[in-house]
């Protein structure tokens, strides 16, 4: 299921130069030079969980979006800033009526305070370290909607966190955006994979369902906790998606911002749903 040819030809010199002075795992090229099994764990994190699943468990929902390495490479280029494709922080907004009038496709990331939302966005932008994504050890640091433009391709929005130390007017900030933002193509609902769905996450999930718009669940911090706990939390989330949602993409995405597991796959998914990367491999999205 996870067998892919992971070796790539040398990248163009201009691309290599553009991505100098970044984390060694930020670039897909460095990952594909690893032993195949280890590379797969970075590119397709579900491969770490699959051996521990009972044979009776249907694996199909966990690999609906399964792009080739070449597809992920094309997506990666969108996350590297160039003079003709600038990636930068654009603006912040406290209310929907303060949000910028941007026509290009938009995706937003929402999650419980301290779920690792800003850390994940920083990992997505790790090929362009000059982009300032503020990450704090204090839960509830993000109080506004922060907009990041990825050239003319799409916009990523870092939303305020809910739960502990969330803005008092969280609902007034977030709900109008989720319900009325016309260029919003996907909401990414982040859940801490090391602790699983919490009561506040269920409320956020209900809010996403009420919008009737497509969204995705991303399990963060997959480097924390033991395999048994992570697997239980993954299967619990998958069961909720199957039994309690109608607008959620069936496949939960697994990521670790610290170890870069799943970052390349998530970049590719964002690029695909915003219409910037057409897959050479079949996928449902």
């Amino acid at each position: 299921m996870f067998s892919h040819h992971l070796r790539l030809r040398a990248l163009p010199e201009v691309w290599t130069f553009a991505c100098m002075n970044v984390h060694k795992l930020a670039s897909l090229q460095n990952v594909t030079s690893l032993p195949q099994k280890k590379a797969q764990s970075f590119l397709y994190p579900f491969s770490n969980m699959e051996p521990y699943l009972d044979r009776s468990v249907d694996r199909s929902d966990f690999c609906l979006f399964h792009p080739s390495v070449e597809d992920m490479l094309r997506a990666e280029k969108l996350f590297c800033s160039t003079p003709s494709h600038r990636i930068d922080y654009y603006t912040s907004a406290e209310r929907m009526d303060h949000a910028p009038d941007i026509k290009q496709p938009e995706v937003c990331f929402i999650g419980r305070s301290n779920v690792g939302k800003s850390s994940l966005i920083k990992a997505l932008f790790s090929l362009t370290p000059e982009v300032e994504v503020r990450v704090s050890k204090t839960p509830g640091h993000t109080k506004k909607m922060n907009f990041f433009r990825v050239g003319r391709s799409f916009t990523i929005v870092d939303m305020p966190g809910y739960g502990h130390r969330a803005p008092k007017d969280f609902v007034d900030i977030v709900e109008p955006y989720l319900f009325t933002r016309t260029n919003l193509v996907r909401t990414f609902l982040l859940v801490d994979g090391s602790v699983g769905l919490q009561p506040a996450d269920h409320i956020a999930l209900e809010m996403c369902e009420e919008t009737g718009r497509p969204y995705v669940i991303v399990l963060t911090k997959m480097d924390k906790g033991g395999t048994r706990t992570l697997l239980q939390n993954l299967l619990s989330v998958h069961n909720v998606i199957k039994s309690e949602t109608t607008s959620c993409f069936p496949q939960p995405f697994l990521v670790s911002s610290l170890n870069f597991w799943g970052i390349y796959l998530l970049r590719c998914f964002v690029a695909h749903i915003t219409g910037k990367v057409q897959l050479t491999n079949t996928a449902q999205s």
Side-chain angles (χ1 to χ4, degrees):
M1 182 183 299
F2 297 98
S3 176
H4 277 280
H5 184 65
L6 297 176
R7 302 287 176 179
L8 294 175
R9 62 185 181 275
L11 296 178
E13 184 177 353
V14 63
W15 170 243
T16 305
F17 176 79
C19 291
M20 290 175 65
N21 300 321
V22 299
H23 192 286
K24 64 180 181 180
L25 292 176
S27 173
L28 185 61
Q29 185 181 39
N30 292 334
V31 175
T32 54
S33 66
L34 297 172
Q36 185 174 26
K37 186 175 181 180
K38 188 171 184 179
Q40 285 178 344
S41 69
F42 282 95
L43 303 180
Y44 311 103
F46 179 66
S47 63
N48 292 328
M49 300 283 105
E50 187 182 23
Y52 299 96
L53 284 177
D54 187 86
R55 292 182 179 180
S56 63
V57 177
D58 183 4
R59 270 82 163 158
S60 59
D61 281 348
F62 297 101
C63 55
L64 290 173
F65 185 78
H66 196 72
S68 67
V69 175
E70 288 72 21
D71 290 331
M72 285 191 267
L73 178 59
R74 287 188 291 123
E76 180 174 286
K77 292 182 179 180
L78 291 171
F79 285 85
C80 194
S81 190
T82 66
S84 61
H85 177 75
R86 292 192 58 81
I87 300 174
D88 55 16
Y89 161 76
Y90 182 49
T91 190
S92 297
E94 294 183 346
R95 291 287 187 276
M96 180 59 190
D97 54 4
H98 298 159
D101 184 14
I102 300 176
K103 302 303 181 184
Q104 63 194 35
E106 199 162 270
V107 298
C108 75
F109 288 76
I110 187 172
R112 190 165 51 88
S113 298
N114 205 33
V115 74
K117 181 165 44 64
S118 297
S119 294
L120 175 57
I121 295 175
K122 189 176 182 69
L124 291 173
F125 287 146
S126 56
L127 293 166
T128 310
E130 64 270 22
V131 175
E132 184 180 3
V133 182
R134 296 182 179 179
V135 178
S136 174
K137 294 182 179 179
T138 304
H141 178 75
T142 305
K143 301 293 186 183
K144 304 176 181 179
M145 297 181 287
N146 298 318
F147 294 77
F148 298 88
R149 288 190 301 189
V150 181
R152 298 179 180 178
S153 298
F154 52 85
T155 304
I156 290 179
V157 186
D158 185 2
M159 304 291 284
Y162 53 81
H164 180 61
R165 298 192 65 179
K168 294 181 180 179
D169 51 356
F170 171 83
V171 173
D172 294 333
I173 298 173
V174 173
E175 275 200 351
Y177 173 87
L178 295 180
F179 276 86
T180 66
R181 189 69 166 173
T182 56
N183 59 329
L184 177 65
V185 297
R186 200 70 53 117
T187 296
F188 290 83
L189 175 59
L190 275 53
V191 174
D192 188 333
S194 66
V195 299
L197 284 164
Q198 301 296 297
D201 296 320
H202 284 280
I203 295 173
L205 189 145
E206 291 174 4
M207 180 173 61
C208 289
E209 281 293 310
E210 289 174 2
T211 69
R213 306 177 77 168
Y215 65 101
V216 187
I217 292 181
V218 179
L219 292 178
T220 64
K221 303 185 180 181
M222 292 302 290
D223 55 291
K224 309 287 186 183
T227 301
R228 181 182 179 87
T229 298
L230 294 172
L231 187 59
Q232 288 177 337
N233 292 337
L234 170 61
L235 293 177
S236 175
V237 167
H238 180 243
N239 183 60
V240 167
I241 293 174
K242 291 187 68 174
S243 62
E244 300 180 22
T245 74
T246 57
S247 302
C248 187
F249 186 55
Q251 175 181 338
F253 285 78
L254 315 179
V255 300
S256 165
S257 301
L258 180 64
N259 295 337
F260 282 83
W261 296 337
I263 297 300
Y264 323 97
L265 185 66
L266 196 59
R267 282 177 184 153
C268 191
F269 189 71
V270 171
H272 178 58
I273 61 176
T274 54
K276 303 308 173 185
V277 168
Q278 299 300 316
L279 302 182
T280 55
N281 198 22
T282 56
Q284 173 185 339
S285 58

